[in-house]
Amino acid sequence: MKIIVPVKRVIDYNVKPRVKPDGSGVDLANVKMSMNPFDEIAVEEALRLREKGVATEVVAVSVGPDKAQETLRTALAMGADRAILVVAEDVEPLGVAKILAKIMDEEQPGLVILGKQAIDDDSNQTGQMLAALTGRPQGTFASKVEVSGDTVHVTREVDGGLETVSLKTPAIVTTDLRLNEPRYASLPNIMKAKSKPLAQKTPGDYGVDIAPRLKTLKVTEPPVRSAGIKVADVDALVAKLKEIGVAA
Amino acid sequence: MSVLVFVEHDNASVKDATLAAVTAAGKLGEVHALVAGSGCAAVAQEAAKIAGVTKVHVADDAAYAHQLAENVAPLIASLADHHDAFVFPATSNGKNIAPRVAALLDVMQISDILSVESADTFTRPIYAGNAIATVQSSDAKKVITVRGTAFAKADATGGSAAIEAVSGSGDAGISSFVSAEIAKQERPELTSAKIIVSGGRALKDSATFNEVILPLADKLGAGVGASRAAVDAGYVPNDYQVGQTGKIVAPEVYIAVGISGAIQHLAGMKDSKVIVAINKDEDAPIFQVADIGLVADLYTAVPELVSKL
């Protein structure tokens, strides 16, 4: 079975985003960029399935700017076999899902594993949309993935706890935080990744219209919450809590 | 324009998250509701009473019992001729189903809206709530998920909507429900609790978390939450997690115990009315957003607080 893992280049998890003064967006100039953390988990899960003998090949895909090559090289250094970069800027989840649907057609994977959301636009849509466009089942917010034959059992993190569903492959899985702990790429593997195949494509190659449907009119800072007071001890805290009506 | 609200329920009763979605939908047009489930007649009756809802569509079919997205999304998409917008609460269920509907309708979804600016313009948080985007949709139909804490809850009673049965294509035959482990919480649910006591990594382990946090929550009748660090470390199950990727809460009072205040955690609770922080590190970022802070060792401060409340 082949597994496709879409990955996105986003602002690093530890960087605090700054809104541009002109309200046109978030300032990404000279900011550290990394692979979306949920996508790292997706790559790791695909690699583990290959190590268990369930998968035979792991293909990393990114729809993004030229520089997303770095993100794909990271996936290759972690252990993916090859990569496809579809060069396009600022593609919305619906457009990404349409491109991925075409890649699924070409590659015929048994599983596509994606992060549940990207930490830049927090949309949480691409996996579900890809499943809809291809008419395949979806196991979103996965904390456990077990493949047996042509079915995959996905345990999902839902509001009240956990839910397990059984899906027929090919299936789409989106990862939650506790699915696994992604490995670090070792130096020899980083060197090796440089010679792994990375194909470059454009949305035109897939005949997909990715014109945006949403227009961002402005981006602003959220309302600021200012620090309040510090109390000296528990007695003062109890008094404050009584003041706001928490305790009788 | 008529707007279809997806009713969050467990085949027995309407969940609170629905009520905020009804309020958001009311800003767009006439509100209809969809109850998709199995043996869910009581839910439809309850939904018909929500103030502002004028019609309830009910699809009662074994295929919808667990609201699998593969089965429910085509049902919702089939109602597109009569509705211009589809509004979902941003619950795990809503987030699972809405994008599948959007793609079936060839629409770009607007996720997790905070406000309705006009019929096609909305605000939504990006970058874990570190920025707020105002976005305008050019799609003819709108598919929207609603952040529950950003809208007032519609009254659960007072309405008298007509109930109409609808049917869809049933079981798509590509997925099935296996099992669920839904934690039985005797405490208030996080997303509707008036007071929340949350614990962080400083609680050391599961037993300590329970010993320190639960008596305080019990004393206050509060819901119990946790930071991602505490959940990852296995102190508590995943459904306790408050933050960017967990639950978004906005109670009257949020008490953060031993939580440093990473931006991803703040994203999930900074709209709380009053934030109380107890942490022994006076430089912890949580104090930058706390209304009332106490710099103290939680192992002595929390039991003392319990005894004095």
Side-chain angles (χ1 to χ4, degrees), chain A residues 84-185:
Chain A
I84 302 170
L85 172 62
V86 182
V87 182
E89 304 260 349
D90 298 324
V91 186
E92 291 173 344
L94 182 63
V96 173
K98 286 179 178 179
I99 292 171
L100 293 176
K102 295 284 184 186
I103 293 177
M104 269 183 83
D105 262 357
E106 275 183 18
E107 299 276 350
Q108 298 290 316
L111 281 178
V112 179
I113 309 179
L114 312 80
K116 74 165 179 180
Q117 72 194 67
I119 60 164
D120 50 3
D121 67 5
D122 285 329
S123 284
N124 193 335
Q125 298 175 7
T126 307
Q128 296 91 314
M129 287 181 158
L130 174 61
L133 295 174
T134 55
R136 298 312 310 165
Q138 64 191 50
T140 51
F141 326 142
S143 65
K144 196 171 165 194
V145 176
E146 287 175 311
V147 180
S148 62
D150 60 356
T151 61
V152 53
H153 278 217
V154 178
T155 301
R156 309 176 52 232
E157 297 199 356
V158 296
D159 285 340
L162 298 171
E163 176 191 270
T164 303
V165 291
S166 170
L167 313 174
K168 291 201 173 137
T169 57
I172 317 297
V173 172
T174 77
T175 61
D176 218 315
L177 290 167
R178 281 161 286 276
L179 181 56
N180 60 48
E181 286 228 13
R183 69 194 66 188
Y184 290 101

Side-chain angles (χ1 to χ4, degrees), chain A residues 125 138 140 164 213 217 225, chain B residues 70 96 106 134 179 272 291:
Chain A
Q125 298 175 7
Q138 64 191 50
T140 51
T164 303
R213 310 290 185 81
L217 303 180
R225 200 173 173 119
Chain B
E70 296 78 8
N96 185 42
D106 193 26
T134 304
S179 61
S272 307
D291 300 284

